[in-house]
Amino acid sequence: MPHALAQTEFHTIDDIYNLPEGSRAELIDGQIYYMAPPTRKHQEILSFLHAAIYNYITQNKGDCKVYPAPFAVFLFADDSKYLEPDISVICDKDKLDEHGCKGAPDWIIEIVSPGSRPMDYYIKLSLYRSAGVREYWIVDPMKQTILVYDMEHDSAPSIYAFTDTIKVNIYTDLWIDFRKLKL
């Protein structure tokens, strides 16, 4: 006798929009992935990185926009991949509308939490690479490391520590000094 397969519910972007106020989740191929509230350390890192990137863009009169989470990113046209990266940098203003970003941001930063580790290191890496994200950083507070993927140049990932100054690949002259991060 054949075994019955468990039926999993298929979700759409409408299910994301209908979540209770304050709920945060991402949608990948019909599955909803709920996100736990961020820790204080997570928010400190997010604020530090957002400020550094925002200040650089502003001081250089740059065309790119930087958005901290929650900010909607629809990686593909079919709405099957709705993500909320911790930081999204978008340089093509045609990708922006009132709902968020339609298509791949140029640079995405994810700050790892214990529950997001497999998602950030594997699932999102694959999605971001296939969508055309130019640069992807995985900031891991527990390991105090930053994994930098220069996907635009198909380079091997570089690993940095919270004591390093890191060159941003999508810019010619932006460096982020993690020694200035006070946790």
Side-chain angles (χ1 to χ4, degrees):
M1 178 190 257
H3 296 287
L5 295 175
Q7 296 296 315
T8 57
E9 192 172 348
F10 187 85
H11 296 277
T12 67
I13 194 63
D14 291 334
D15 295 315
I16 292 288
Y17 286 135
N18 290 322
L19 289 174
E21 186 71 28
S23 296
R24 289 197 48 218
E26 296 176 312
L27 177 69
I28 300 173
D29 297 329
Q31 296 300 307
I32 291 180
Y33 296 88
Y34 292 93
M35 297 185 291
T39 63
R40 182 195 60 79
K41 185 181 282 189
H42 180 283
Q43 293 303 93
E44 291 279 344
I45 295 167
L46 178 72
S47 295
F48 167 77
L49 288 168
H50 180 263
I53 298 163
Y54 178 85
N55 289 338
Y56 171 83
I57 292 170
T58 303
Q59 289 166 1
N60 289 281
K61 298 177 179 41
D63 291 329
C64 300
K65 297 284 188 179
V66 58
Y67 297 96
F71 178 74
V73 172
F74 300 87
L75 278 180
F76 302 99
D78 62 5
D79 286 349
S80 66
K81 317 275 190 297
Y82 167 87
L83 300 168
E84 291 186 3
D86 288 309
I87 295 180
S88 302
V89 177
I90 298 102
C91 299
D92 180 355
K93 289 188 179 131
D94 290 338
K95 291 182 179 180
L96 297 171
D97 67 14
E98 67 275 3
H99 299 291
C101 179
K102 305 281 187 188
D106 293 87
W107 178 21
I108 289 178
I109 300 173
E110 294 286 5
I111 302 164
V112 178
S113 59
S116 74
R117 190 168 296 284
M119 182 71 88
D120 294 335
Y121 277 98
Y122 304 107
I123 296 169
K124 288 184 178 180
L125 170 62
S126 177
L127 288 173
Y128 295 155
R129 187 182 304 277
S130 65
V133 172
R134 295 168 55 201
E135 185 163 355
Y136 177 41
W137 288 21
I138 302 172
V139 179
D140 194 325
M142 289 179 64
K143 295 180 179 179
Q144 293 204 341
T145 59
I146 304 96
L147 196 54
V148 175
Y149 288 89
D150 180 1
M151 295 193 268
E152 183 175 37
H153 299 104
D154 206 23
S155 303
S158 300
I159 302 172
Y160 298 95
F162 277 28
T163 54
D164 291 329
T165 300
I166 304 171
K167 166 81 171 68
V168 177
N169 295 297
I170 67 165
Y171 291 110
T172 57
D173 58 350
L174 173 56
W175 296 79
I176 297 181
D177 184 354
F178 270 79
R179 291 173 300 179
K180 293 180 179 177
L181 173 63
K182 305 296 181 207
L183 293 178

